[in-house]
Amino acid sequence: MKINVLFFGMLADKAGNKKVSIEIDKPNATVADVISIVREKIKTLPEGNFLLAVNEEQAEPSTSISDKDEVAIMPPFSGG
Amino acid sequence: MTKEDKKVRIQEEDFSVEIEIKELLATSKLIGGVVTFLGTARDFSEGKNVETIEFEEYKGMALKALKKLQIEMLSRFDIIEARIIHRVTSVKPGEQIVLIVVGAEHRKEAFTACQWCIDTLKETVPIWKKELTPDGESWVTSHP
């Protein structure tokens, strides 16, 4: 299945991109699987526990994903 | 824009605190106190002069999170009405960034709700700020 991955703020700068598409062919795939594929693909992505979202809702590494989902990997928020 | 949409907004343009208070007061004559929090851009941060602050949002999710925050504030506290406006643009020191307006029958709940709202906004709304200084630019990673 195809997953669109979004980066924001400092992470987009480190990744050199705001968005990447990845293919994942694993049954019962989760956000954690997406992150490990992204880390393989983008070596410049820093280590850390980032905030996560699936289709604009906050998510956890254990959150399940489906084809065409949008997964966001986000640094700590700093609005306000 | 419906009346409900006007209460919670993310926008580039500046806002008028006076108009927002007036419109909030127009919703109920039961309101006996209004508390506002206005966040503005500082010209000095982490030991550096700040010339500009740029904001980035996760479009869609940021507005959803802000609306959820307003609904939760209305159910959690004994208040009557609330508005939240956040600018996502490039701002200079002294300019307005975020406004929270809370109307309640009595002041105590309005103060408590307003404080809770800005604290929770900083933790739950996907907006980021980047400070531009004479030495370069850096993303702000903390929310004191």
Side-chain angles (χ1 to χ4, degrees), chain A residues 9 13 18 70 75 78-80, chain B residues 56 58 86 127-129 139-140:
Chain A
D13 288 354
K18 282 182 179 288
E70 180 178 276
S78 56
Chain B
E56 182 184 8
Y58 180 1
H86 201 304
I127 293 177
W128 298 270
K129 61 164 84 91
W139 288 100
V140 177

Side-chain angles (χ1 to χ4, degrees), chain A residues 6-13 18 51-58 70-72 74-80, chain B residues 55-61 64 86 97-98 118 121-130 139-143:
Chain A
L6 307 181
F7 305 105
F8 291 93
M10 167 270 279
L11 287 180
D13 288 354
K18 282 182 179 288
L51 298 164
L52 305 163
V54 175
N55 301 330
E56 302 181 353
E57 295 290 339
Q58 283 212 21
E70 180 178 276
V71 173
M74 306 175 285
F77 305 148
S78 56
Chain B
F55 287 87
E56 182 184 8
E57 64 168 316
Y58 180 1
K59 219 173 171 57
M61 184 176 171
K64 266 193 217 171
H86 201 304
I97 297 170
V98 62
I118 186 61
L121 181 154
K122 284 171 178 281
E123 284 172 8
T124 62
V125 180
I127 293 177
W128 298 270
K129 61 164 84 91
K130 183 162 68 175
W139 288 100
V140 177
T141 51
S142 59
H143 39 75

Side-chain angles (χ1 to χ4, degrees), chain A residues 10-57:
Chain A
M10 167 270 279
L11 287 180
D13 288 354
K14 300 273 186 196
N17 222 326
K18 282 182 179 288
K19 185 177 174 180
V20 293
S21 288
I22 60 162
E23 282 290 335
I24 183 161
D25 292 312
K26 189 186 165 196
N28 308 315
T30 64
V31 172
D33 296 316
V34 172
I35 294 170
S36 53
I37 291 173
V38 168
R39 283 201 186 284
E40 279 294 304
K41 206 168 168 163
I42 305 171
K43 303 285 185 198
T44 51
L45 204 66
E47 292 293 327
N49 290 321
F50 299 115
L51 298 164
L52 305 163
V54 175
N55 301 330
E56 302 181 353
E57 295 290 339

Side-chain angles (χ1 to χ4, degrees), chain B:
Chain B
M1 191 182 277
T2 66
K3 274 186 179 175
E4 283 305 309
D5 287 342
K6 279 191 82 176
K7 291 176 185 174
V8 182
R9 309 188 313 264
I10 292 178
Q11 61 189 41
E12 282 188 24
E13 63 270 25
D14 203 3
F15 47 77
S16 158
V17 177
E18 194 184 343
I19 290 172
E20 298 303 328
I21 292 174
K22 207 175 273 183
E23 290 189 0
L24 176 127
L25 280 171
T27 60
S28 172
K29 293 276 189 296
L30 274 175
I31 295 172
V34 176
V35 169
T36 61
F37 173 80
L38 176 65
T40 55
R42 283 180 291 146
D43 68 355
F44 197 73
S45 170
E46 309 264 318
K48 286 179 181 171
N49 291 312
V50 178
E51 294 170 336
T52 304
I53 301 177
E54 288 180 359
F55 287 87
E56 182 184 8
E57 64 168 316
Y58 180 1
K59 219 173 171 57
M61 184 176 171
L63 187 59
K64 266 193 217 171
L66 218 52
K67 285 182 173 173
K68 198 172 152 191
L69 188 63
Q70 190 246 18
I71 290 167
E72 195 179 337
M73 174 164 52
L74 287 167
S75 69
R76 193 184 264 250
F77 300 95
D78 189 14
I79 59 172
I80 295 167
E81 191 56 274
R83 290 188 158 223
I84 313 172
I85 297 119
H86 201 304
R87 293 178 73 198
V88 170
T89 183
S90 176
V91 298
K92 297 287 181 195
E95 289 187 358
Q96 304 186 133
I97 297 170
V98 62
L99 176 69
I100 298 166
V101 188
V102 181
E105 255 185 282
H106 304 289
R107 67 189 183 283
K108 195 177 173 192
E109 279 292 294
F111 274 114
T112 311
C114 195
Q115 168 94 57
W116 175 88
C117 184
I118 186 61
D119 290 349
T120 312
L121 181 154
K122 284 171 178 281
E123 284 172 8
T124 62
V125 180
I127 293 177
W128 298 270
K129 61 164 84 91
K130 183 162 68 175
E131 292 175 341
L132 279 61
T133 75
D135 303 329
E137 52 184 55
S138 60
W139 288 100
V140 177
T141 51
S142 59
H143 39 75

